[in-house]
Structure formats: structure tokens, C-alpha cells
Amino acid sequence: TLRTLFPYTTLFRSLNLIGALRALDITIIDIKDVVMGVKSLPEILRDTVKKIDESINHLGKSKLIISSLLEKNLTDYRASGEQIRKLRETLELSRDDKKEFISNILLRIFPGNFGHVFVGIYAPFLNVTIDNDEKNKTWLKLVEFLDSADEIDENCFLIDAINKSDPDKLDKLKKMMDTQQLQYMVNYDENIKNDMVNQQIKFIKSLKENEDVKDRFTKVIERSKQLLKIISPIKKEFEEYLCILNDDYKKYKKNETKMTSDINESLIDKLGFTANDKKS
């Protein structure tokens, strides 16, 4: 009769449910909670989806590190172990910790006051969010690149001058590179262009009217070239990675290029030359 079959039907349904949930890799403990009525099925399913997402994230990061190591065809297994540990740890860092991690390595590469000034230039853009595979790969490349970079040679006039500068002068230099100024570049528009052009015209006139100012400017240009020769190898690659990791910095660099081009075009149109032109 139906009454006799009912308990077996209920048991069959329970066994069928248990089998289906196990096929989804839901734990025995969670299945027991569902059967006993301790937790609802939707609750268990939501928890399982969360665990699966965490597992996918973990496996994805492991895959990235393994792929990175395979590309290098490493043979020093002892060194590889240390590298694997470091790469894994940096991937797990929070947004703020990633910023601190980059800053500390830059301060190692560029020691002294100069390092703090260098970090200050990029500080507003070091809050990187790793939210896709490309950024994960780029982050690993950045970590490896910075970790292998040697400390720079401080035998440069500008580096030495900044390292020996007093605290007040250093604070003024840092204020010149604060977040507002960098945002000024990020939000570059026609008004900013006109303002910069007017400043350049005023500066060029001072060069033409005052030989002392012109001589000082020439010395600064030469010393800047010396500085760029020292820091460019690191600066160039670091900025390439940062453009991928931070959209604001990518926009900043694009606007920087556009601003330089716009200003030079305006100066040539109005004066026939730029501040860096030999005619000046």
C-alpha cells in the first residue's frame, strides 16, 4: 500500500538528495545539517559557492606563479623556494600592504631623502587593485623586477643635493608633488593647458632677459640628464607596470604626453620655439 511504501519513498528521496549534493562536493557535515534541518539547502549552497570562489582564487594564483616559474626555466631549486614563497605572500597582500611593499622596495633602491622624494612622485598611484589575470601577472613581474633591482649610484649632483638638503627644503619639495598636483595632471584640460603655456612664456622671457637665469637653467638641464641616465632603467620599466596596475596613472601618463605636445605646439605657434629649443 501507499502507507507502506511512503517511508521507503522518503528514504529514497533523502538518499537521492545526498548523492546529488555529494556530486557537488558539498561536505558530509553540511549535508547532514540539511537532512537534520539544522541549515536550509539555499544556505548550504551559498556557503559552498563562497568556498568554491575562494578555491578558484587560490588555484588561479598558484597557476600564475607556476607559469611564471616555468617561463624562467629555473634550475636553482633552493632559490626557487624562496621566490615562490615571496610571490605567494605578495599576491595575498591587502591594497594598503601592496602600497607599503612597493614603497619600501623603492626606498631600498633609492636610499636617503631622494628615495622619499621618488616615492612621493608615485604615492597617489600605488594603491593598486588586482582584479584580473593581466594585473595578477603584471604584479608578479613588478615584484620580481623591483626585487632584483640594484641600489642606485648616489654619485650624482641632484641626488647628493637632495640627500643633503635640510628638512624644510625637503618638505617644500614634497609639497610640490602632492596629490593635488598629480590630480591636476590627471584632470588635464584646455584651461590647464593655457595656464601652463602662459607660465612657459613667462619663463622663456626670463631666460632671454637674464643671462644668470639662463645659465642656471642650462646647468639644471645637464644635471637632470645625468640623473635620468641613472634612474631611467628602473623608472621606465616601473612606470610600464604601474600603467597596467593603476588606471589613474595610465591616464596621468597619457595626459602628460599630450600636455607636453600641446604646450610645445602653442609655444612654437606664439614664439617660434620652446624653452628647450637652442634658439632660446
Side-chain angles (χ1 to χ4, degrees):
T1 65
L2 289 176
R3 288 184 179 179
T4 305
L5 292 173
F6 182 73
Y8 297 102
T9 302
T10 303
L11 177 61
F12 177 77
R13 287 177 177 174
S14 296
L15 291 174
N16 188 45
L17 175 63
I18 291 170
L21 295 179
R22 285 300 294 142
L24 295 175
D25 292 326
I26 295 176
T27 66
I28 295 295
I29 294 175
D30 285 339
I31 293 173
K32 180 182 177 182
D33 287 342
V34 172
V35 174
M36 300 298 293
V38 177
K39 291 183 179 180
S40 68
L41 180 57
E43 185 178 359
I44 291 297
L45 293 176
R46 282 193 293 270
D47 289 344
T48 302
V49 168
K50 183 178 179 181
K51 291 175 184 177
I52 291 173
D53 285 340
E54 291 172 352
S55 179
I56 290 172
N57 183 47
H58 180 83
L59 291 172
K61 290 176 180 177
S62 295
K63 181 181 177 182
L64 282 169
I65 294 173
I66 291 169
S67 298
S68 175
L69 294 172
L70 286 173
E71 287 176 4
K72 293 175 176 54
N73 195 26
L74 296 175
T75 55
D76 186 347
Y77 300 110
R78 188 171 299 177
S80 298
E82 178 64 22
Q83 186 178 20
I84 291 169
R85 182 191 62 79
K86 180 175 287 187
L87 292 175
R88 183 81 219 188
E89 287 178 354
T90 62
L91 280 174
E92 301 298 337
L93 292 175
S94 67
R95 195 163 178 257
D96 289 340
D97 287 340
K98 282 186 173 72
K99 179 177 181 178
E100 184 178 1
F101 176 82
I102 297 173
S103 299
N104 288 338
I105 295 186
L106 290 175
L107 289 174
R108 174 189 66 78
I109 299 170
F110 303 102
N113 289 335
F114 179 79
H116 289 281
V117 172
F118 188 89
V119 171
I121 295 172
Y122 300 99
F125 305 111
L126 296 183
N127 290 314
V128 299
T129 299
I130 312 298
D131 52 10
N132 57 49
D133 283 348
E134 182 188 21
K135 287 185 178 181
N136 269 312
K137 291 177 183 177
T138 302
W139 171 258
L140 291 179
K141 289 179 181 178
L142 174 62
V143 170
E144 291 178 322
F145 166 68
L146 291 178
D147 193 49
S148 63
D150 295 326
E151 186 177 312
I152 64 162
D153 179 11
E154 297 179 57
N155 187 25
C156 169
F157 177 83
L158 285 179
I159 294 176
D160 185 60
I162 291 174
N163 282 339
K164 292 179 179 179
S165 62
D166 61 64
D168 289 338
K169 288 184 179 179
L170 191 61
D171 286 341
K172 289 179 181 178
L173 189 59
K174 287 180 179 179
K175 287 178 181 178
M176 289 173 60
M177 299 177 296
D178 64 9
T179 304
Q180 287 184 341
Q181 269 202 322
L182 292 173
Q183 285 299 112
Y184 184 77
M185 181 74 77
V186 170
N187 298 318
Y188 174 69
D189 58 17
E190 193 69 20
N191 290 329
I192 293 174
K193 184 193 84 169
N194 292 334
D195 183 45
M196 296 295 288
V197 169
N198 290 333
Q199 289 181 34
Q200 284 286 305
I201 290 175
K202 183 178 179 181
F203 175 67
I204 289 172
K205 287 181 178 179
S206 70
L207 290 179
K208 295 180 73 67
E209 295 169 358
N210 192 318
E211 285 297 322
D212 289 339
V213 173
K214 185 175 181 179
D215 289 341
R216 287 198 298 270
F217 176 68
T218 302
K219 289 178 181 178
V220 169
I221 292 296
E222 291 304 315
R223 289 165 178 170
S224 296
K225 288 179 180 178
Q226 181 189 2
L227 176 63
L228 285 174
K229 187 176 181 180
I230 295 172
I231 69 173
S232 281
I234 294 173
K235 181 176 180 291
K236 182 178 182 295
E237 192 163 348
F238 173 69
E239 289 183 349
E240 287 175 357
Y241 293 138
L242 194 57
C243 279
I244 297 173
L245 293 171
N246 188 292
D247 292 336
D248 278 344
Y249 189 70
K250 182 178 181 180
K251 183 178 179 181
Y252 167 79
K253 291 299 292 183
K254 182 179 179 180
N255 283 343
E256 182 183 52
T257 301
K258 178 173 171 50
M259 186 186 76
T260 301
S261 175
D262 286 348
I263 290 174
N264 284 337
E265 285 181 8
S266 295
L267 290 175
I268 290 172
D269 181 56
K270 294 183 178 184
L271 302 176
F273 53 84
T274 69
N276 294 319
D277 201 313
K278 290 181 179 180
K279 293 180 181 179
S280 62

PDB file of all heavy atoms in Angstrom, residues 20 63 100 119 124 131 145 155 157 164 197 200 233 239 243 246 280:
ATOM      1  N   ALA A  20      23.207  13.663  -4.809  1.00  0.00           N
ATOM      2  CA  ALA A  20      23.315  14.850  -5.673  1.00  0.00           C
ATOM      3  C   ALA A  20      24.216  15.909  -5.042  1.00  0.00           C
ATOM      4  O   ALA A  20      25.045  16.530  -5.725  1.00  0.00           O
ATOM      5  CB  ALA A  20      21.923  15.418  -5.929  1.00  0.00           C
ATOM      6  N   LYS A  63      48.466  28.960 -10.159  1.00  0.00           N
ATOM      7  CA  LYS A  63      48.727  28.755 -11.577  1.00  0.00           C
ATOM      8  C   LYS A  63      49.603  29.868 -12.144  1.00  0.00           C
ATOM      9  O   LYS A  63      50.529  29.620 -12.928  1.00  0.00           O
ATOM     10  CB  LYS A  63      47.407  28.682 -12.349  1.00  0.00           C
ATOM     11  CG  LYS A  63      47.575  28.443 -13.837  1.00  0.00           C
ATOM     12  CD  LYS A  63      46.222  28.408 -14.549  1.00  0.00           C
ATOM     13  CE  LYS A  63      46.407  28.239 -16.054  1.00  0.00           C
ATOM     14  NZ  LYS A  63      45.105  28.241 -16.769  1.00  0.00           N
ATOM     15  N   GLU A 100      52.582  49.757   0.616  1.00  0.00           N
ATOM     16  CA  GLU A 100      53.730  49.813   1.525  1.00  0.00           C
ATOM     17  C   GLU A 100      54.874  48.948   1.005  1.00  0.00           C
ATOM     18  O   GLU A 100      56.049  49.328   1.102  1.00  0.00           O
ATOM     19  CB  GLU A 100      53.307  49.340   2.912  1.00  0.00           C
ATOM     20  CG  GLU A 100      54.418  49.455   3.954  1.00  0.00           C
ATOM     21  CD  GLU A 100      53.975  49.026   5.341  1.00  0.00           C
ATOM     22  OE1 GLU A 100      52.796  48.627   5.488  1.00  0.00           O
ATOM     23  OE2 GLU A 100      54.808  49.066   6.266  1.00  0.00           O
ATOM     24  N   VAL A 119      59.488  58.232  -4.151  1.00  0.00           N
ATOM     25  CA  VAL A 119      58.245  57.557  -3.764  1.00  0.00           C
ATOM     26  C   VAL A 119      57.083  58.546  -3.751  1.00  0.00           C
ATOM     27  O   VAL A 119      55.961  58.217  -4.154  1.00  0.00           O
ATOM     28  CB  VAL A 119      58.391  56.891  -2.379  1.00  0.00           C
ATOM     29  CG1 VAL A 119      57.041  56.383  -1.865  1.00  0.00           C
ATOM     30  CG2 VAL A 119      59.376  55.729  -2.448  1.00  0.00           C
ATOM     31  N   PRO A 124      50.425  58.676  -4.913  1.00  0.00           N
ATOM     32  CA  PRO A 124      48.976  58.659  -5.163  1.00  0.00           C
ATOM     33  C   PRO A 124      48.514  57.513  -6.062  1.00  0.00           C
ATOM     34  O   PRO A 124      47.317  57.226  -6.126  1.00  0.00           O
ATOM     35  CB  PRO A 124      48.719  60.015  -5.850  1.00  0.00           C
ATOM     36  CG  PRO A 124      49.882  60.865  -5.478  1.00  0.00           C
ATOM     37  CD  PRO A 124      51.032  59.926  -5.407  1.00  0.00           C
ATOM     38  N   ASP A 131      42.513  42.889  -9.959  1.00  0.00           N
ATOM     39  CA  ASP A 131      41.169  42.342 -10.164  1.00  0.00           C
ATOM     40  C   ASP A 131      41.015  41.554 -11.472  1.00  0.00           C
ATOM     41  O   ASP A 131      39.905  41.252 -11.889  1.00  0.00           O
ATOM     42  CB  ASP A 131      40.132  43.459 -10.103  1.00  0.00           C
ATOM     43  CG  ASP A 131      40.453  44.619 -11.033  1.00  0.00           C
ATOM     44  OD1 ASP A 131      41.375  44.464 -11.869  1.00  0.00           O
ATOM     45  OD2 ASP A 131      39.788  45.664 -10.932  1.00  0.00           O
ATOM     46  N   PHE A 145      60.861  42.254 -10.702  1.00  0.00           N
ATOM     47  CA  PHE A 145      61.719  43.306 -11.251  1.00  0.00           C
ATOM     48  C   PHE A 145      62.318  44.164 -10.134  1.00  0.00           C
ATOM     49  O   PHE A 145      63.533  44.391 -10.093  1.00  0.00           O
ATOM     50  CB  PHE A 145      60.907  44.185 -12.210  1.00  0.00           C
ATOM     51  CG  PHE A 145      61.590  45.475 -12.578  1.00  0.00           C
ATOM     52  CD1 PHE A 145      62.737  45.477 -13.351  1.00  0.00           C
ATOM     53  CD2 PHE A 145      61.089  46.694 -12.129  1.00  0.00           C
ATOM     54  CE1 PHE A 145      63.375  46.666 -13.685  1.00  0.00           C
ATOM     55  CE2 PHE A 145      61.713  47.881 -12.458  1.00  0.00           C
ATOM     56  CZ  PHE A 145      62.868  47.868 -13.231  1.00  0.00           C
ATOM     57  N   ASN A 155      76.261  58.871  -6.710  1.00  0.00           N
ATOM     58  CA  ASN A 155      77.257  59.836  -7.166  1.00  0.00           C
ATOM     59  C   ASN A 155      76.687  60.701  -8.286  1.00  0.00           C
ATOM     60  O   ASN A 155      77.111  60.653  -9.427  1.00  0.00           O
ATOM     61  CB  ASN A 155      78.520  59.112  -7.634  1.00  0.00           C
ATOM     62  CG  ASN A 155      79.648  60.077  -7.948  1.00  0.00           C
ATOM     63  OD1 ASN A 155      79.697  61.185  -7.412  1.00  0.00           O
ATOM     64  ND2 ASN A 155      80.538  59.653  -8.832  1.00  0.00           N
ATOM     65  N   PHE A 157      74.946  64.795  -8.758  1.00  0.00           N
ATOM     66  CA  PHE A 157      74.790  66.074  -8.053  1.00  0.00           C
ATOM     67  C   PHE A 157      73.390  66.243  -7.471  1.00  0.00           C
ATOM     68  O   PHE A 157      73.237  66.597  -6.298  1.00  0.00           O
ATOM     69  CB  PHE A 157      75.095  67.234  -9.011  1.00  0.00           C
ATOM     70  CG  PHE A 157      74.884  68.589  -8.375  1.00  0.00           C
ATOM     71  CD1 PHE A 157      75.874  69.165  -7.598  1.00  0.00           C
ATOM     72  CD2 PHE A 157      73.682  69.277  -8.533  1.00  0.00           C
ATOM     73  CE1 PHE A 157      75.668  70.404  -6.993  1.00  0.00           C
ATOM     74  CE2 PHE A 157      73.474  70.508  -7.932  1.00  0.00           C
ATOM     75  CZ  PHE A 157      74.474  71.075  -7.167  1.00  0.00           C
ATOM     76  N   LYS A 164      71.305  65.697   0.970  1.00  0.00           N
ATOM     77  CA  LYS A 164      71.907  66.598   1.952  1.00  0.00           C
ATOM     78  C   LYS A 164      71.033  67.802   2.272  1.00  0.00           C
ATOM     79  O   LYS A 164      71.401  68.642   3.094  1.00  0.00           O
ATOM     80  CB  LYS A 164      73.267  67.093   1.433  1.00  0.00           C
ATOM     81  CG  LYS A 164      74.329  65.998   1.369  1.00  0.00           C
ATOM     82  CD  LYS A 164      75.643  66.545   0.836  1.00  0.00           C
ATOM     83  CE  LYS A 164      76.703  65.448   0.803  1.00  0.00           C
ATOM     84  NZ  LYS A 164      77.992  65.957   0.249  1.00  0.00           N
ATOM     85  N   VAL A 197      50.927  77.081 -20.639  1.00  0.00           N
ATOM     86  CA  VAL A 197      51.547  77.824 -21.743  1.00  0.00           C
ATOM     87  C   VAL A 197      51.958  79.217 -21.282  1.00  0.00           C
ATOM     88  O   VAL A 197      53.072  79.673 -21.575  1.00  0.00           O
ATOM     89  CB  VAL A 197      50.578  77.916 -22.940  1.00  0.00           C
ATOM     90  CG1 VAL A 197      51.104  78.924 -23.980  1.00  0.00           C
ATOM     91  CG2 VAL A 197      50.400  76.558 -23.595  1.00  0.00           C
ATOM     92  N   GLN A 200      55.035  79.001 -19.215  1.00  0.00           N
ATOM     93  CA  GLN A 200      56.211  78.746 -20.036  1.00  0.00           C
ATOM     94  C   GLN A 200      56.676  80.007 -20.771  1.00  0.00           C
ATOM     95  O   GLN A 200      57.871  80.264 -20.866  1.00  0.00           O
ATOM     96  CB  GLN A 200      55.902  77.633 -21.056  1.00  0.00           C
ATOM     97  CG  GLN A 200      55.867  76.238 -20.476  1.00  0.00           C
ATOM     98  CD  GLN A 200      57.256  75.713 -20.167  1.00  0.00           C
ATOM     99  OE1 GLN A 200      58.125  75.672 -21.030  1.00  0.00           O
ATOM    100  NE2 GLN A 200      57.468  75.316 -18.928  1.00  0.00           N
ATOM    101  N   PRO A 233      66.584  53.406 -16.315  1.00  0.00           N
ATOM    102  CA  PRO A 233      66.348  51.966 -16.500  1.00  0.00           C
ATOM    103  C   PRO A 233      65.285  51.411 -15.548  1.00  0.00           C
ATOM    104  O   PRO A 233      64.476  50.570 -15.944  1.00  0.00           O
ATOM    105  CB  PRO A 233      67.731  51.358 -16.208  1.00  0.00           C
ATOM    106  CG  PRO A 233      68.692  52.449 -16.555  1.00  0.00           C
ATOM    107  CD  PRO A 233      68.001  53.708 -16.127  1.00  0.00           C
ATOM    108  N   GLU A 239      57.243  52.261 -14.507  1.00  0.00           N
ATOM    109  CA  GLU A 239      56.078  53.008 -14.987  1.00  0.00           C
ATOM    110  C   GLU A 239      55.239  52.174 -15.963  1.00  0.00           C
ATOM    111  O   GLU A 239      54.015  52.316 -15.990  1.00  0.00           O
ATOM    112  CB  GLU A 239      56.530  54.310 -15.643  1.00  0.00           C
ATOM    113  CG  GLU A 239      57.059  55.326 -14.635  1.00  0.00           C
ATOM    114  CD  GLU A 239      57.436  56.641 -15.278  1.00  0.00           C
ATOM    115  OE1 GLU A 239      57.487  56.712 -16.523  1.00  0.00           O
ATOM    116  OE2 GLU A 239      57.675  57.616 -14.532  1.00  0.00           O
ATOM    117  N   CYS A 243      51.306  51.544 -15.164  1.00  0.00           N
ATOM    118  CA  CYS A 243      50.241  51.936 -16.107  1.00  0.00           C
ATOM    119  C   CYS A 243      49.195  50.829 -16.240  1.00  0.00           C
ATOM    120  O   CYS A 243      48.011  51.108 -16.477  1.00  0.00           O
ATOM    121  CB  CYS A 243      50.833  52.246 -17.482  1.00  0.00           C
ATOM    122  SG  CYS A 243      51.543  53.902 -17.619  1.00  0.00           S
ATOM    123  N   ASN A 246      47.374  50.573 -12.421  1.00  0.00           N
ATOM    124  CA  ASN A 246      46.605  51.705 -11.923  1.00  0.00           C
ATOM    125  C   ASN A 246      46.071  52.538 -13.097  1.00  0.00           C
ATOM    126  O   ASN A 246      46.851  53.152 -13.832  1.00  0.00           O
ATOM    127  CB  ASN A 246      47.476  52.574 -11.000  1.00  0.00           C
ATOM    128  CG  ASN A 246      46.690  53.657 -10.299  1.00  0.00           C
ATOM    129  OD1 ASN A 246      46.211  54.596 -10.925  1.00  0.00           O
ATOM    130  ND2 ASN A 246      46.553  53.540  -8.983  1.00  0.00           N
ATOM    131  N   SER A 280      66.371  79.481 -27.871  1.00  0.00           N
ATOM    132  CA  SER A 280      66.073  80.238 -26.671  1.00  0.00           C
ATOM    133  C   SER A 280      67.346  80.626 -25.942  1.00  0.00           C
ATOM    134  O   SER A 280      67.295  81.398 -25.022  1.00  0.00           O
ATOM    135  CB  SER A 280      65.182  79.404 -25.741  1.00  0.00           C
ATOM    136  OG  SER A 280      65.854  78.232 -25.326  1.00  0.00           O
TER     137      SER A 280
END
